[in-house]
Amino acid sequence: MTDINKTILEKAAGPSRFNPDEQRRFLETYEERVIASCTLVEARESKYLEHYSTILTEISERFDPVLVKISPALDESSQLQYLKKTKDLGLVASIVSDDCRHSPFGFIIHTDHPSGIDPTDLRLQYPDLFEKKQETSAPEKKSFWKRLFG
């Protein structure tokens, strides 16, 4: 029989977690389970929100289950937009607790088992969606004198 006082003290201290610093950094999940990640600065950019549904659809075709954790440090409108887009695709999303406020990530897309994905940065995984498009400039017009003597 266990000592009741010991049990009460253990329960009062909260749940015992394996590697709590890693879980706080990766928004309450483990690094090995992360499929894709996005920094807070990037998550605030409109292009990430535009491509979010496309990325989630592609990821959900490769992994099951797909879960999304959203940072509490992200502004409320962005949180709600990411949450709504995730729910519209029938996936599970949650805004994590304030314990993760100091995480560098805006959101994490993960699964419940090791994913084997490296690197997890969205910008590196989907460069065609996030590369800066170079503007094509019109060819330089030559002056009359350059055309005549050039």
Side-chain angles (χ1 to χ4, degrees):
M1 181 168 232
T2 60
D3 183 19
I4 191 80
N5 290 330
K6 181 180 175 189
T7 305
I8 291 172
L9 288 174
E10 286 175 357
K11 299 294 181 188
S16 58
R17 288 185 166 182
F18 179 73
N19 206 349
D21 291 334
E22 180 180 335
Q23 285 186 349
R24 276 191 293 275
R25 177 172 166 74
F26 290 95
L27 303 178
E28 296 181 354
T29 192
Y30 296 105
E31 181 178 13
E32 65 196 22
R33 296 179 178 181
V34 175
I35 300 169
S37 62
C38 179
T39 66
L40 275 168
V41 174
E42 293 169 343
R44 292 181 178 115
E45 294 178 18
S46 62
K47 63 183 170 184
Y48 281 84
L49 196 56
E50 290 171 20
H51 299 299
Y52 182 73
S53 296
T54 306
I55 292 167
L56 264 185
T57 302
E58 193 271 322
I59 288 173
S60 64
E61 291 171 358
R62 295 184 306 154
F63 292 93
D64 187 47
V66 174
L67 309 160
V68 178
K69 301 283 177 111
I70 302 169
S71 173
L74 206 55
D75 58 283
E76 285 186 28
S77 66
S78 296
Q79 287 176 352
L80 293 176
Q81 288 176 331
Y82 284 115
L83 195 61
K84 183 180 180 330
K85 287 184 179 249
T86 306
K87 298 284 184 183
D88 289 347
L89 292 172
L91 300 173
V92 177
S94 61
I95 299 169
V96 297
S97 68
D98 275 341
D99 291 346
C100 302
R101 182 163 289 284
H102 300 293
S103 172
F105 299 106
F107 64 84
I108 296 276
I109 302 169
H110 70 98
T111 188
D112 63 355
H113 56 277
S115 68
I117 302 288
D118 189 40
T120 61
D121 186 6
L122 280 178
R123 189 178 296 270
L124 298 175
Q125 286 187 21
Y126 299 94
D128 52 325
L129 295 178
F130 299 113
E131 68 185 9
K132 297 201 187 273
K133 305 224 185 311
Q134 295 179 351
E135 295 180 17
T136 56
S137 60
E140 184 181 326
K141 292 185 178 182
K142 293 184 178 182
S143 70
F144 172 75
W145 297 109
K146 284 194 178 188
R147 281 186 276 158
L148 187 63
F149 295 112

